[in-house]
Amino acid sequence: TAYPRVAKACLKTLTNLWSASLDTSEEYQVVRLNAFLRIRQMALTQPFPFIEQCLKSTYLAYAKRAKFATAASLTSLLPTITFMGNCIVELYSLDYASSYQHAFVYIRQLALHLRSAIQKKTPEAFRIVYCWQYIHCLKLWTAVLCSAAGKIDDEAQLMKSLIFPLTEVIFGVIRLVPTTRHLPLRLHCVRLLQQISAASELYIPTTSVLLEVLDLKELYLKPKRIDTRGKDVRGIRLPLILKLPKEGALRTAEQLDACLAEVFVLLNREVDLYRYSAGFPEFSVRICQRLRKYSKDTKNGRYRAYSRGCIELCAKYSAAAIKARSQLQEAPKDVKRLEVLKPSNVPTMNDRYEASIAKEKRLEQASQPVLSDAAKRSEREVAGMPSKVAKDAEGSEDDGERSKSKNTRKQKKKKLEVNKKDLENIGALEEQDEVQEGIDWDSDDEE
């Protein structure tokens, strides 16, 4: 390029605008989009080495931005993180030869953090892995590899070769701390593995992870009753949490319903993904055996219905697979495709997976209670208020409280009671995840 220093400075400015952390409002998304379009344009028009700078700067900006997506701020930052992740997937699909080098380095970096946690076995090492920043990075590389898995050119096959190391890293995260409290995180990882399996049409065994949940002793204890007055009527939303409360994990009816419903959703999706495999009848034997035992042991009619529904689904698909594979011309050793029994007019694994995800989102949206206009307005204000403006607003409220300190004793008492309740609710919303430090990403990392 004729102006290399100008191009680097321009890229730095555009990356800062694209990953700005002070504003999460919908209006600023236009700025993010235009900044990314200019980054993409520069990656395509500038000479070859420049695209590698674009890949590196955008991923490091994403990782640093994901560091602040804790449990308290995830609802407001999730659209921004999702948008930035989609932008990186688009950018890494421009040149798979360059993308492979960077993907290899950063997936290896995640593996090194996991290895350090396995070797040290300290709470600090576990917090580096069991945090939203690490999970968001796993989601990003899952999306990047799934996007490349659908391509048939040779460069895309380079990216496909990274599926195995990424899968091993995700399995390592699942097995790192296999406690009841971290059950939501394991379910997040199962979703990632199923996404990779559907996009690449490879068999990735996640059934054992799901069936292990049915062995937890908390499922067979009588759930505790808790007072739900004044709390969020939407209940537990597993996509927004990584761990259950430290005390009473999986002991309330809300936690049991949310976790078991998620387990059976993922189990049914697992059955649907491999229904056209020649080995599906043998694959479903273990599932049916465990679910029959669970349906006899559980006293909850809803959970028993979940089990019987999955058993019936397995029996139906097994009968169809036995009939279809009896008509195959190839010997078992000659079967190369996973979906060898799939008719030509049936959608592929990836299409069925995407349809299942879309249906799940529609059902989740329909099951959420209708919020009032005031509640919707308050959520928009919380999501769209910059941190600096929020601090100024808090300061103005403190000044207002000082100016009203000369009220009567009765008014003071009423005000203190109201503020106490308000502070309790705000404390629940602003609760910081204890894993807030995460990975120390540095733009000067050696590659």
Side-chain angles (χ1 to χ4, degrees):
T1 179
Y3 303 99
R5 294 185 179 179
V6 175
K8 291 182 180 179
C10 183
L11 175 62
K12 184 177 180 180
T13 303
L14 291 173
T15 305
N16 292 335
L17 292 174
W18 173 70
S19 62
S21 59
L22 292 180
D23 199 343
T24 59
S25 61
E26 296 181 0
E27 291 79 7
Y28 194 79
Q29 296 298 333
V30 180
V31 179
R32 296 186 194 277
L33 178 60
N34 288 323
F36 170 72
L37 291 178
R38 300 289 80 78
I39 294 175
R40 183 180 183 276
Q41 183 180 12
M42 294 178 67
L44 291 173
T45 57
Q46 297 300 309
F48 166 69
F50 192 79
I51 189 174
E52 296 191 349
Q53 297 180 12
C54 296
L55 297 176
K56 179 179 179 179
S57 62
T58 52
Y59 173 71
L60 292 178
Y62 173 88
K64 292 176 181 178
R65 187 77 170 91
K67 183 176 181 179
F68 301 100
T70 58
S73 61
L74 187 62
T75 53
S76 59
L77 292 178
L78 187 59
T80 302
I81 294 295
T82 303
F83 171 77
M84 294 176 64
N86 294 335
C87 292
I88 294 180
V89 171
E90 169 68 21
L91 199 62
Y92 272 73
S93 64
L94 299 179
D95 185 3
Y96 285 123
S98 299
S99 300
Y100 171 79
Q101 303 293 332
H102 290 267
F104 178 87
V105 169
Y106 294 125
I107 292 176
R108 181 177 178 272
Q109 188 178 29
L110 296 176
L112 292 177
H113 285 292
L114 177 62
R115 186 184 68 177
S116 176
I118 294 174
Q119 293 176 346
K120 294 181 180 179
K121 296 182 180 180
T122 60
E124 293 76 13
F126 290 154
R127 287 171 189 155
I128 293 178
V129 177
Y130 277 22
C131 65
W132 275 112
Q133 184 184 24
Y134 197 94
I135 297 301
H136 281 310
C137 292
L138 287 179
K139 289 182 178 180
L140 174 66
W141 292 120
T142 298
V144 170
L145 297 187
C146 289
S147 175
K151 308 296 177 59
I152 58 176
D153 55 341
D154 295 337
E155 292 184 352
Q157 295 301 316
L158 285 175
M159 297 291 291
K160 195 173 180 179
S161 65
L162 296 175
I163 289 178
F164 178 74
L166 180 62
T167 302
E168 288 299 312
V169 170
I170 297 175
F171 272 117
V173 173
I174 292 176
R175 294 188 293 262
L176 182 60
V177 186
T179 59
T180 303
R181 190 187 180 197
H182 294 92
L183 177 59
L185 185 142
R186 297 203 294 275
L187 297 180
H188 279 289
C189 293
V190 170
R191 282 184 173 270
L192 297 181
L193 293 173
Q194 289 183 350
Q195 183 181 353
I196 296 174
S197 176
S200 60
E201 295 189 2
L202 297 173
Y203 172 68
I204 301 178
T206 58
T207 309
S208 60
V209 180
L210 298 174
L211 294 181
E212 285 174 358
V213 179
L214 303 180
D215 296 330
L216 298 176
K217 63 179 182 180
E218 288 82 2
L219 301 184
Y220 305 97
L221 301 177
K222 186 177 180 180
K224 296 180 180 179
R225 292 185 179 181
I226 58 174
D227 187 9
T228 58
R229 290 177 295 180
K231 296 186 178 181
D232 192 354
V233 296
R234 288 174 288 186
I236 297 176
R237 304 176 68 185
L238 286 182
L240 302 181
I241 62 174
L242 289 183
K243 57 190 175 186
L244 298 172
K246 191 172 184 179
E247 297 181 359
L250 210 63
R251 292 292 290 114
T252 64
E254 291 79 6
Q255 295 175 1
L256 287 171
D257 290 342
C259 292
L260 281 179
E262 179 77 1
V263 167
F264 281 102
V265 165
L266 296 178
L267 199 57
N268 288 333
R269 185 171 298 154
E270 182 98 350
V271 170
D272 183 71
L273 285 178
Y274 305 122
R275 58 182 293 192
Y276 293 113
S277 171
F280 181 82
E282 292 75 19
F283 167 77
S284 62
V285 169
R286 174 57 182 159
I287 299 176
C288 294
Q289 288 178 348
R290 187 63 189 88
L291 291 183
R292 288 193 187 97
K293 183 178 183 302
Y294 176 72
S295 62
K296 292 180 181 179
D297 296 339
T298 185
K299 299 179 181 180
N300 191 298
R302 183 189 303 176
Y303 306 156
R304 192 180 298 113
Y306 287 160
S307 302
R308 291 177 179 175
C310 189
I311 292 172
E312 293 175 359
L313 198 65
C314 289
K316 176 183 175 182
Y317 291 159
S318 295
I322 292 174
K323 181 179 179 181
R325 74 182 181 182
S326 64
Q327 302 173 359
L328 283 178
Q329 301 297 327
E330 304 107 320
K333 65 181 181 62
D334 298 329
V335 174
K336 303 297 182 183
R337 295 185 299 114
L338 180 62
E339 292 196 303
V340 67
L341 305 179
K342 185 179 74 68
S344 58
N345 59 346
V346 174
T348 61
M349 284 181 66
N350 194 29
D351 294 337
R352 297 198 306 273
Y353 176 82
E354 292 179 355
S356 176
I357 293 295
K359 180 180 178 181
E360 181 184 357
K361 290 181 179 179
R362 290 195 301 269
L363 292 176
E364 182 182 1
Q365 186 176 6
S367 63
Q368 295 299 326
V370 179
L371 298 179
S372 62
D373 295 337
K376 292 180 180 179
R377 199 159 45 245
S378 63
E379 283 193 354
R380 291 195 205 100
E381 290 176 357
V382 172
M385 182 180 293
S387 58
K388 186 177 180 180
V389 177
K391 292 179 180 178
D392 294 340
E394 292 177 0
S396 63
E397 290 177 1
D398 295 336
D399 295 337
E401 290 180 1
R402 295 192 193 98
S403 64
K404 295 179 182 178
S405 60
K406 296 182 180 181
N407 292 335
T408 62
R409 183 177 300 177
K410 185 176 181 180
Q411 289 176 342
K412 284 184 179 179
K413 187 175 181 180
K414 288 184 178 180
K415 185 173 182 181
L416 288 174
E417 292 176 356
V418 174
N419 285 340
K420 185 177 181 181
K421 294 180 180 180
D422 291 340
L423 288 173
E424 289 177 355
N425 293 333
I426 293 174
L429 292 175
E430 294 180 350
E431 182 182 0
Q432 290 294 329
D433 193 89
E434 65 182 54
V435 189
Q436 61 182 355
E437 290 298 327
I439 308 169
D440 187 14
W441 301 100
D442 190 1
S443 60
D444 295 329
D445 290 341
E446 295 182 359
E447 297 183 11

